[in-house]
Amino acid sequence: QGQRQFHTFVRLAEEEDVYQANNFMGISIAKSPNDFRNADILRLQRDSLTEVSFNYLDSAFTLYKQRDQWVADSFGADSASVASYLQGLSYVTSREFAEVEAVGTPEVNVTFGFTDRAEIQISAYREGLDWVIGSTENGDEYFTDPTVFEKVFQGPSQLAVAVE
């Protein structure tokens, strides 16, 4: 008494029979074609991460692990800022798919190096006012998500790195 029961009624396409399924299935049934697309951009294994290289139009710098501490091109990096940055990249996905016919030349990229697997590269190029983002983790999809762009493409000032 007091507990609610939910049911979902489903019908196979082009059939007249309707079936009742216990519980609510709405969240597990795809509603749009994008629900079938791979939304993964980056899955980061921080334990084996050894290097993060940033290449921008006007600058480049590399963060690398030296005796369990992150440094940047011979300068110190703020360990809390780097830890926060890497924590935010543990699992990055997006549903903001870009419908592009041809991929432009990347203007910026970040490369993640590991001890136990191939490197991962996230690249972005301009298309109008938007950044189109691609990843070697998911080479079949491109994204136009400004939140992902801001999360991945950090500059020296966000990581408290002194770059000359």
Side-chain angles (χ1 to χ4, degrees):
Q1 191 176 32
Q3 292 186 3
R4 296 181 184 171
Q5 289 186 345
F6 295 96
H7 303 283
T8 301
F9 295 92
V10 294
R11 181 175 55 86
L12 299 174
E14 300 179 18
E15 287 192 16
E16 292 185 20
D17 293 336
V18 176
Y19 303 94
Q20 175 183 330
N22 290 334
N23 298 319
F24 181 69
M25 292 175 39
I27 59 173
S28 63
I29 298 174
K31 294 173 183 62
S32 76
N34 282 349
D35 292 339
F36 295 99
R37 294 173 79 173
N38 183 351
D40 292 347
I41 297 173
L42 176 64
R43 288 187 185 212
L44 191 67
Q45 299 87 14
R46 289 179 298 167
D47 294 343
S48 63
L49 183 65
T50 59
E51 181 177 288
V52 183
S53 298
F54 299 84
N55 292 302
Y56 300 120
L57 289 173
D58 59 350
S59 65
F61 67 97
T62 300
L63 287 172
Y64 56 94
K65 198 183 278 188
Q66 187 177 61
R67 294 187 212 104
D68 293 331
Q69 190 168 12
W70 287 96
V71 295
D73 295 333
S74 305
F75 298 93
D78 180 55
S79 59
S81 296
V82 173
S84 176
Y85 169 69
L86 296 176
Q87 176 71 29
L89 298 179
S90 294
Y91 186 57
V92 180
T93 63
S94 177
R95 289 278 176 205
E96 301 294 324
F97 295 101
E99 303 303 331
V100 293
E101 293 294 323
V103 178
T105 302
E107 295 180 36
V108 296
N109 66 59
V110 176
T111 304
F112 301 90
F114 302 91
T115 58
D116 60 352
R117 63 166 293 184
E119 67 183 24
I120 300 170
Q121 186 173 62
I122 312 263
S123 301
Y125 67 95
R126 285 262 187 210
E127 186 170 280
L129 297 175
D130 295 325
W131 286 101
V132 175
I133 302 166
S135 170
T136 57
E137 283 284 90
N138 181 1
D140 295 330
E141 300 289 355
Y142 293 92
F143 306 88
T144 57
D145 192 333
T147 306
V148 169
F149 183 86
E150 292 171 12
K151 184 184 285 191
V152 172
F153 296 97
Q154 297 282 304
S157 60
Q158 287 122 334
L159 299 171
V161 178
V163 177
E164 294 180 345

